[in-house]
Amino acid sequence: VKKRTTIKDVAEYTGVSTATVSYVLNGKVSENISESTINRVMAACKQLNYIPNLSARSLSLSSKRSNLVGIVIPQTEDGEEFMFDNPYYGEFLSRAEYIARKKGYDVLISGRDANRSYLNIATQRGLDGIVIIGIYPDDNISELKYLGLPIVMCDSYGIGSYFNCVGTNDRYAGYMATKYLLDKGHKRVALVSGQEKVDGVNYYRFIGYKDALEEHNIEFDERIVYEGYIDHKYGIEAGKKIIDANLGVTAVFATADILAVGVMKGMQEEGIKIPEEISIIGFDDIYLASICTPSLTTVRQHIGEKGSTVMELLLDAIEDEPTSKRDIIIPVDIVERNSVKEIK
Amino acid sequence: VKKRTTIKDVAEYTGVSTATVSYVLNGKVSENISESTINRVMAACKQLNYIPNLSARSLSLSSKRSNLVGIVIPQTEDGEEFMFDNPYYGEFLSRAEYIARKKGYDVLISGRDANRSYLNIATQRGLDGIVIIGIYPDDNISELKYLGLPIVMCDSYGIGSYFNCVGTNDRYAGYMATKYLLDKGHKRVALVSGQEKVDGVNYYRFIGYKDALEEHNIEFDERIVYEGYIDHKYGIEAGKKIIDANLGVTAVFATADILAVGVMKGMQEEGIKIPEEISIIGFDDIYLASICTPSLTTVRQHIGEKGSTVMELLLDAIEDEPTSKRDIIIPVDIVERNSVKEIK
DNA sequence: TTGAAAGCGCTAACAG
DNA sequence: CTGTTAGCGCTTTCAA
């Protein structure tokens, strides 16, 4: 209920004008301010507990910074309600927020919302830039282009060549994962993934899966690809289905760890031993992969690094305006743990 | 690079004043605006793609809303860098953000930062309210009181009776967990937790642990309480220490699931079978608890509900100003899974 | 070395 | 029913 201290209060207290206060606060060396004034203003700020109002600042002379960036996070695929059930996003956000904070930016988060465009959120809040994770077919990206706001897309496909991107070579990674299984002697490798149509990431991992099969002269069999949702529940379901279907599957590639762990669980509940009877490889390397039993062999995509890279790229784009479009592919590797067995 | 459409543009386009536009936009029924004007203004907004600038709005006549709330999340205890390693926060945030978004509020997140007070972030951004999770001894809470901003504390102890609080009866919950083990016939129950001094939650769970021992006439033994950090790594370490120390422990109560799962892992790596040789009970019921092997018996604290309750309380406090201070305790219960064995 | 004043986009008295 | 206007807190040109 306290009236906040404004620059005006500081000015009056010091006996100078608001302009002068503003100068010293912003370190405008161009304007030559005397030592003594600077000290007096500083003292007054301390004294009065002055905290600048960033909304006001971002308003004054247009094109001023707000020091606010947005991160838009996907919802789970089946609804609007949750976004962080997959710890992937938590790990990502953790690093991204840290980078932003250290450079003096605050972070606004938002789930995707059908009723509110990216443009809307960016404009309303005067965001300096925005990170968009994943991409949906109905996203209106072009209006963002029009806005001229620094944007970094993460794990997004099919958005043309306009925006900065950070991502993974998902096709190659999918290939690697599948090949790893094949090289271990498996011939019947099932795929468990999210909606391939909806999500570029899953689609390309799927293509990579096919690449590997083809390379090994193994016929693609649609009956052993399970396409559902990226969550633990669906993993369990898929695991059970695979067992019930009894189509000779000896290994499965799940396109997300959270899915892979579910598959393991589902199979274990059916009395299957992993990796003795069925091998599983995941994708992401969330910390969960090292925790579960057996620990999960998976494609590590350095989530934390992805988060920090995304934010660094965004802040770069914000601070030195004329950067050319950049693409960064974060390399992946396979972490061998205990969920895959060599056969034959 | 595009100049944004302002209310003035809309006014000129429609041929009315900015005030009129503002009225129709804000549905000021008090001012009687003609149907036709309303329609024309609306049409112009669509046409020009007008998006209001919320910073400007929050500036005008003081005490105006910003429709922005903050959530401050703790760092892990050993450093400043991460905050979401524990999926607890992700689940919490997921629900809280959802509630806020549906009611038209954006969410600013921030890790705690020694260099920036709560007051600072709240004032700079003109937040309408703020959620603070956990509390640290060096937090300066009183200055917030002074600000008169709606605040909801979550899982915070020792902050006096001024703020709204959502929390758990941690002492009772700690008692329950320990008693559960004791009732199963265990006599040597180790405790693994975070820094008790630092974190009220852990402290009260610790006291609850002692309560249960006392009730069962079991002597408290300092040598089997392991006090470290709330993370998986420390859990592993503690698990191994317990085995190495060989002090006759048959069960352990870990004050966070992420810790409990680590303890299991550490012990399993030492060749211990769980629950056959040692029983474990956790705390939180993050989804991980149902995923790990064996699945974890734990104290469920309904994280999602906590997140939504916190946000609802905050928004209530923001929207109908004169609410009295409220305290909500989210009840806990024990989820029985497979990590505890009855002995004797 | 400093200050007056205009303006950023929006809201709300107060007049018409 | 609608417009004029002052002002929110801050930055910055221009003048002193």
Side-chain angles (χ1 to χ4, degrees):
Chain A
V1 200
K2 158 90 192 332
K3 201 192 158 304
R4 39 178 303 165
T5 306
T6 75
I7 203 175
K8 199 170 157 196
D9 300 322
V10 176
E12 285 171 0
Y13 187 90
T14 321
V16 297
S17 76
T18 61
T20 306
V21 175
S22 176
Y23 292 145
V24 346
L25 258 32
N26 296 299
K28 288 282 172 205
V29 259
S30 58
E31 324 288 328
N32 247 316
I33 314 275
S34 69
E35 269 307 319
S36 104
T37 306
I38 293 181
N39 291 333
R40 276 162 48 233
V41 168
M42 288 312 215
C45 289
K46 286 269 128 58
Q47 192 63 33
L48 303 179
N49 219 312
Y50 170 70
I51 298 172
N53 179 331
L54 296 191
S55 295
R57 177 181 316 196
S58 75
L59 247 196
S60 67
L61 220 67
S62 54
S63 83
K64 237 332 221 183
R65 302 273 174 68
S66 63
N67 282 300
L68 231 199
V69 297
I71 300 184
V72 181
I73 294 169
Q75 317 292 129
T76 52
E77 296 171 14
D78 57 345
E80 290 275 345
E81 290 197 303
F82 303 92
M83 55 181 194
F84 284 122
D85 290 6
N86 188 343
Y88 176 87
Y89 297 109
E91 294 189 36
F92 181 97
L93 189 57
S94 171
R95 294 298 299 160
E97 188 272 346
Y98 175 71
I99 299 290
R101 179 154 40 92
K102 286 305 165 199
K103 297 218 180 170
Y105 287 77
D106 285 324
V107 175
L108 198 63
I109 55 165
S110 178
R112 288 185 68 258
D113 194 305
N115 299 313
R116 192 165 177 220
S117 67
Y118 299 133
L119 201 174
N120 187 281
I121 179 171
T123 315
Q124 287 198 154
R125 296 292 176 190
L127 299 185
D128 287 341
I130 188 164
V131 169
I132 298 176
I133 306 176
I135 186 75
Y136 286 68
D138 54 330
D139 279 347
N140 197 338
I141 289 300
S142 54
E143 56 179 22
L144 276 176
K145 210 180 294 189
Y146 188 55
L147 227 198
L149 193 72
I151 295 180
V152 177
M153 313 288 300
C154 184
D155 292 329
S156 306
Y157 285 96
I159 50 157
S161 56
Y162 184 82
F163 299 106
N164 297 305
C165 287
V166 173
T168 297
N169 188 333
D170 289 291
R171 180 171 183 167
Y172 179 68
Y175 162 81
M176 264 177 60
T178 313
K179 177 175 156 49
Y180 178 85
L181 260 14
L182 266 19
D183 286 349
K184 294 282 184 197
H186 295 275
K187 304 249 175 285
R188 291 285 283 170
V189 176
L191 178 75
V192 178
S193 90
Q195 307 275 86
E196 279 135 21
K197 302 98 182 173
V198 146
D199 176 342
V201 165
N202 278 290
Y203 175 73
Y204 285 98
R205 290 175 196 167
F206 170 58
I207 299 295
Y209 163 80
K210 281 175 147 178
D211 290 346
L213 293 183
E214 196 176 332
E215 185 188 82
H216 283 246
N217 293 310
I218 293 176
E219 202 180 348
F220 171 69
D221 181 354
E222 206 170 357
R223 293 173 305 163
I224 58 173
V225 349
Y226 296 80
E227 192 182 335
Y229 303 97
I230 303 287
D231 61 31
H232 182 245
K233 198 149 35 100
Y234 180 70
I236 294 178
E237 187 185 325
K240 294 191 170 168
K241 274 189 191 158
I242 292 173
I243 300 308
D244 292 349
N246 196 21
L247 292 167
V249 166
T250 66
V252 2
F253 167 34
T255 62
D257 285 348
I258 192 156
L259 219 43
V261 171
V263 169
M264 289 207 315
K265 189 83 177 181
M267 289 180 168
Q268 284 165 341
E269 282 175 9
E270 300 277 302
I272 301 296
K273 292 241 174 308
I274 294 169
E276 289 75 9
E277 299 176 66
I278 294 198
S279 292
I280 298 183
I281 190 169
F283 202 109
D284 284 344
D285 196 32
I286 54 181
Y287 71 92
L288 175 56
S290 61
I291 287 175
C292 57
T293 308
S295 59
L296 188 68
T297 292
T298 190
V299 178
R300 182 204 291 158
Q301 62 161 323
H302 305 274
I303 303 171
E305 188 187 337
K306 218 166 181 175
S308 55
T309 303
V310 162
M311 190 52 73
E312 278 159 2
L313 201 56
L314 184 68
L315 299 185
D316 279 0
I318 291 172
E319 300 192 339
D320 10 279
E321 313 233 346
T323 3
S324 57
K325 190 255 195 197
R326 288 210 274 160
D327 266 308
I328 297 179
I329 297 293
I330 309 280
V332 299
D333 44 57
I334 288 184
V335 188
E336 298 194 86
R337 294 204 183 89
N338 306 305
S339 63
V340 174
K341 188 188 132 208
E342 181 146 14
I343 64 172
K344 274 203 177 161
Chain B
V1 199
K2 159 93 192 332
K3 203 195 157 302
R4 41 177 303 164
T5 306
T6 74
I7 202 174
K8 199 171 157 194
D9 300 322
V10 177
E12 283 171 2
Y13 187 91
T14 321
V16 298
S17 75
T18 61
T20 306
V21 175
S22 176
Y23 292 146
V24 346
L25 258 33
N26 296 299
K28 288 281 171 202
V29 260
S30 58
E31 323 289 327
N32 248 314
I33 315 275
S34 70
E35 269 308 319
S36 104
T37 307
I38 293 182
N39 291 332
R40 275 160 51 233
V41 169
M42 288 310 216
C45 288
K46 286 269 127 60
Q47 192 63 32
L48 302 179
N49 219 313
Y50 170 71
I51 298 173
N53 180 331
L54 296 191
S55 295
R57 176 180 315 191
S58 74
L59 248 196
S60 66
L61 220 68
S62 56
S63 83
K64 237 332 221 181
R65 302 273 174 69
S66 63
N67 278 8
L68 232 197
V69 297
I71 300 185
V72 181
I73 295 169
Q75 316 292 128
T76 52
E77 295 171 16
D78 57 346
E80 291 275 346
E81 290 197 301
F82 305 90
M83 57 182 193
F84 284 122
D85 290 6
N86 187 344
Y88 176 87
Y89 297 109
E91 295 189 34
F92 180 97
L93 189 57
S94 171
R95 295 297 299 161
E97 188 272 347
Y98 174 71
I99 300 290
R101 179 154 39 92
K102 286 304 165 200
K103 297 219 179 169
Y105 286 77
D106 284 325
V107 175
L108 197 64
I109 54 164
S110 178
R112 287 185 69 258
D113 193 305
N115 299 312
R116 192 164 178 223
S117 67
Y118 300 132
L119 201 174
N120 187 282
I121 179 172
T123 315
Q124 287 198 154
R125 296 294 176 191
L127 300 185
D128 286 342
I130 189 165
V131 169
I132 298 176
I133 306 176
I135 186 74
Y136 285 67
D138 54 330
D139 280 348
N140 197 339
I141 289 302
S142 55
E143 57 179 22
L144 277 175
K145 210 179 294 188
Y146 189 54
L147 228 196
L149 194 72
I151 295 180
V152 177
M153 314 288 300
C154 184
D155 292 329
S156 307
Y157 286 96
I159 50 158
S161 57
Y162 184 82
F163 300 106
N164 296 305
C165 288
V166 173
T168 296
N169 188 335
D170 289 291
R171 180 171 182 168
Y172 179 67
Y175 162 80
M176 264 177 62
T178 312
K179 176 174 158 51
Y180 178 85
L181 260 14
L182 265 19
D183 286 348
K184 295 281 184 197
H186 295 275
K187 304 248 176 283
R188 291 286 282 170
V189 177
L191 178 76
V192 178
S193 89
Q195 306 276 83
E196 280 136 20
K197 303 96 183 174
V198 146
D199 176 342
V201 165
N202 278 289
Y203 175 73
Y204 285 99
R205 290 174 197 167
F206 169 57
I207 299 295
Y209 163 79
K210 281 176 147 179
D211 289 346
L213 293 183
E214 198 177 330
E215 185 188 83
H216 284 244
N217 293 310
I218 293 176
E219 202 180 348
F220 171 69
D221 181 353
E222 206 170 355
R223 292 173 306 163
I224 57 173
V225 349
Y226 296 80
E227 193 182 334
Y229 303 98
I230 302 287
D231 61 30
H232 182 245
K233 198 149 37 98
Y234 180 70
I236 294 178
E237 188 185 324
K240 294 191 170 166
K241 274 189 189 158
I242 291 172
I243 300 308
D244 293 351
N246 196 21
L247 291 168
V249 167
T250 65
V252 1
F253 167 33
T255 62
D257 284 348
I258 192 157
L259 218 43
V261 171
V263 169
M264 288 206 317
K265 189 82 176 181
M267 290 181 168
Q268 284 164 342
E269 281 175 10
E270 300 277 303
I272 302 297
K273 293 238 174 308
I274 294 168
E276 289 75 9
E277 299 176 67
I278 294 197
S279 292
I280 298 182
I281 190 168
F283 201 109
D284 284 346
D285 197 32
I286 55 181
Y287 72 93
L288 175 56
S290 59
I291 287 175
C292 58
T293 308
S295 58
L296 187 67
T297 293
T298 192
V299 178
R300 181 205 288 157
Q301 62 162 323
H302 305 274
I303 304 171
E305 188 187 337
K306 218 164 179 175
S308 54
T309 303
V310 162
M311 189 52 74
E312 280 161 1
L313 201 55
L314 184 69
L315 300 185
D316 279 0
I318 291 173
E319 300 192 339
D320 12 278
E321 313 233 346
T323 3
S324 57
K325 191 257 194 194
R326 287 210 273 160
D327 266 309
I328 297 180
I329 297 293
I330 309 278
V332 298
D333 44 58
I334 288 185
V335 188
E336 297 194 87
R337 295 204 183 88
N338 306 306
S339 63
V340 174
K341 187 188 133 207
E342 181 146 13
I343 65 172
K344 276 209 176 158

